[in-house]
Amino acid sequence: MPKSITTLRCACGQFSLEVIGDPFSASECHCKSCRSAAQRLSTLPPAFPIAADNGGVPYALYRKDRVRFPDGTTTLTEFRLHDDAPTRRVLTTCCYTPVFLEFESGHWVSLFTGLWPEGQRPAPRIRTQTGDVPDGETLDDSLPAGTLTTAGFYAKLLGERIAMGFKSPKITVKEKIDA
């Protein structure tokens, strides 16, 4: 049976991307990097909030071979927390819609779930990097988290890498933004 194709658009509609099928994972990340980037990017006129109310950042993870850019990537810009950061967040230049997070040499992209219309967003199934939650803040237990959950998450990433034949397609973004 063919997989469904979902078209996602930026807030102003100038940029779109297509995802094939469902994400292989949906997570809420609480690492210092995601929290800091969400806070810094909130200084731009964002199309939607990046972080959840609890400070975590919800993502839908797709293999790169399941994400297409029918209109190209010319309207995208990257943001890094610092010049040698191994991750980049990619936004549109037209309306600063957050699109995805990418790890250098990664075989997947973590799409910001705010790209989906309300009610259609992939719901997080796990929390990752909860050890980075600031002291004094607590998370509810509505999602699995912790060492075993994180180990399973990384095992799933490895399984998807194997399924892609260890390929890691490049997504070229020419512009950079500072926030």
Side-chain angles (χ1 to χ4, degrees), residues 39-52:
Q39 184 177 30
R40 286 178 58 185
L41 290 172
S42 72
T43 64
L44 300 172
F48 55 81
I50 297 171

Side-chain angles (χ1 to χ4, degrees), residues 64-122:
K64 286 183 180 176
D65 64 347
R66 304 269 168 95
V67 179
R68 299 189 296 215
F69 302 93
D71 301 322
T73 58
T74 58
T75 59
L76 297 179
T77 187
E78 75 174 40
F79 166 76
R80 291 181 187 256
L81 287 172
H82 49 82
D83 289 340
D84 58 343
T87 57
R88 67 179 178 165
R89 278 93 182 155
V90 176
L91 305 93
T92 62
T93 55
C94 47
C95 60
Y96 297 117
T97 296
V99 180
F100 64 85
L101 171 139
E102 178 186 36
F103 287 84
E104 282 184 5
S105 303
H107 59 284
W108 79 98
V109 291
S110 300
L111 296 170
F112 291 98
T113 59
L115 288 167
W116 278 262
E118 190 75 41
Q120 296 177 16
R121 293 181 181 148

Side-chain angles (χ1 to χ4, degrees), residues 5 10 62 66 86 91 106 109 121 129 139 178:
I5 295 175
C10 69
Y62 280 85
R66 304 269 168 95
L91 305 93
V109 291
R121 293 181 181 148
Q129 304 296 319
L139 299 172
D178 191 23

Side-chain angles (χ1 to χ4, degrees), residues 3 13 24 28 35 77 80 89 91 93 99 114 118 137 141 149 156 163 167 174:
K3 293 190 181 281
F24 68 82
E28 183 181 89
R35 287 170 163 267
T77 187
R80 291 181 187 256
R89 278 93 182 155
L91 305 93
T93 55
V99 180
E118 190 75 41
E137 288 187 32
D141 59 358
T149 299
K156 186 170 270 209
K167 296 176 187 163
K174 296 184 184 202

